[in-house]
Amino acid sequence: MKTPQSNGRGAVALAFVLFSVLLGSVLAPAVAAAQPAPPPGQNYSIATDITFAPFEFQDESGKLVGIDMDLLAAIAKDQGFGYDVSPVGFDAALQGVTGGQFNGMIAGMSITDARKATFDFSEPYFDSGVQMGVLDSNESVTSYEDLRGKTVAVKNGTEGATFAESIKEQYGFSTRYFADSSSMFDEVRTGNSAAVFEDYPVLAYGIKQGNGFKTVTEKEPGASYGFAVAKGQNAQLLEEFNAGLANLRASGEYDQILDTYLNSAASTDDNSILGLIKSTWKLLLEGLWLTILLTAISIAIALVLGAIFGLFRVSTNIVLRGIGTTYVDVFRGTPLLVQAFFIYFGIPAALDFQMSAFTAGVITLSLNAGAYMAEIVRGGILAVDKGQMEASRSLGISYLKSMRKVVMPQAVRTMIPSYINQFVITLKDTSILSVIGLAELTQTGRIIIARNFQSFNMWLIIGVMYFIIIMALTKLSNRIEKRINK
């Protein structure tokens, strides 16, 4: 005669088989991507920022353009190599190159002595400089002396941030850091910071796009930008970049690329809400689709993980209960952002393979949501009166059948509202995956804002889109809940 424990072990074994099949289907793209790198000179993986106009940004058609992108395309054509660009953001690009995810990066990156310890740089392809910008309406800040006691907004890793740090004690101001230029400008618009220190071409481009700023200081000497690879790696790629850059300078194509962006006319685009919807609806729908796809796949896997580890949490077996508790504690006790970085950058670097951003995003969301689902399952089972199981067992019904026929149907009714809530939370959590380069809806908004600096109107549009999709899901789930409870 089988005991309840043996039945429990059978259920666990079956659950693990299902989990293995599901996880294998998710990891397949990552394994496929983990092939040996192509020979140098054939095809390279290049990381870049995505919100640093005019060096890299997306145009209205969604194409990645800018000084860096045009230079890279021209150099690749001149030298005869192929490349794939991953717009993951500046901080993620740094980690991706050092971790082996990318062969190199081009992202308006200043060449500094500190970075030379980690990266090998090309010959400089642009000599930058720093200017201070304030709102058009600001007449009180006209020099560095006027910043005393105030806060200045700067962007991570830029020459503007370096310059601000070098003079802030002398002029008595503090600095506040942001991940992208549009957020930095918004900080000043809110009145929380008095000015920005930004690389002069970026500031000039934003002013032409109508961001509402003006420059109030002369250009300060700054560092030069360079193409970067990990220290001691991809030497041939670096040589090809330098050779191609020299040829572009000699032919005059280099100057033509710079003139395209630095001497362009001011923007005349319609930046009203209707105008933005008309010009960006395709990009927004693509971002929304990726958000929904990530959510749907992750929730499907999280449901399985939640069921497995939720049953572990209520198991009479101390080992299984310990496994379930550990899983839940780890993924509920660490930020989703840290999990995303660890899975996308840490694990591939440690195990020496490549993983697509989409695969990493699905795994991150699945594991995180699965931990919360496990607690929902545990709570649902414990909410069912113990007498239900005892009565069923006293009638000679097996443990598994009692759980399947008596306990779980009652538990599911209790769990439905929490499941729906977790579905909505996971959908909103997809926005965090922008840090690894996934252009879901929130990241798509940031990309568009980097081009036109219309943050208020764009975030209003995106907020309405999130509201509509979440309300639709909530209404649908309420209907399902009513049918089940009939």
Side-chain angles (χ1 to χ4, degrees), residues 170-319:
Q170 178 183 354
Y171 294 103
F173 62 85
S174 60
T175 52
R176 187 168 295 161
Y177 282 77
F178 294 87
D180 55 70
S181 297
S182 58
S183 298
M184 180 178 64
F185 291 131
D186 286 342
E187 165 75 1
V188 177
R189 291 191 187 97
T190 64
N192 292 325
S193 291
V196 298
F197 280 97
E198 179 64 289
D199 295 18
Y200 84 87
V202 180
L203 186 56
Y205 180 84
I207 291 173
K208 286 183 179 180
Q209 297 304 306
N211 67 359
F213 279 70
K214 64 182 178 182
T215 57
V216 291
T217 61
E218 296 297 321
K219 183 178 71 173
E220 301 283 353
S224 300
Y225 295 166
F227 179 84
V229 300
K231 193 74 174 178
Q233 303 294 321
N234 292 294
Q236 183 165 335
L237 171 58
L238 209 58
E239 292 175 4
E240 290 171 339
F241 187 93
N242 285 332
L245 179 62
N247 292 340
L248 292 185
R249 291 185 189 276
S251 68
E253 187 174 357
Y254 171 86
D255 293 326
Q256 293 175 9
I257 291 173
L258 263 60
D259 286 342
T260 300
Y261 297 96
L262 298 185
N263 297 322
S264 59
S267 173
T268 57
D269 295 339
D270 180 4
N271 288 324
S272 66
I273 291 179
L274 289 178
L276 289 173
I277 292 175
K278 183 178 179 180
S279 63
T280 63
W281 68 270
K282 288 184 179 179
L283 293 176
L284 290 173
L285 287 182
E286 289 175 4
L288 179 61
W289 167 245
L290 182 57
T291 294
I292 294 172
L293 186 63
L294 282 166
T295 303
I297 295 175
S298 300
I299 283 293
I301 298 173
L303 285 170
V304 177
L305 293 175
I308 294 171
F309 289 100
L311 291 171
F312 281 11
R313 293 276 279 139
V314 297
S315 173
T316 56
N317 187 306
I318 190 172
V319 175

Side-chain angles (χ1 to χ4, degrees), residues 141-161:
V141 177
T142 58
S143 65
Y144 302 144
E145 286 81 2
D146 298 327
L147 295 175
R148 190 165 303 277
K150 295 181 172 61
T151 301
V152 167
V154 294
K155 180 183 174 184
N156 297 338
T158 61
E159 189 64 24

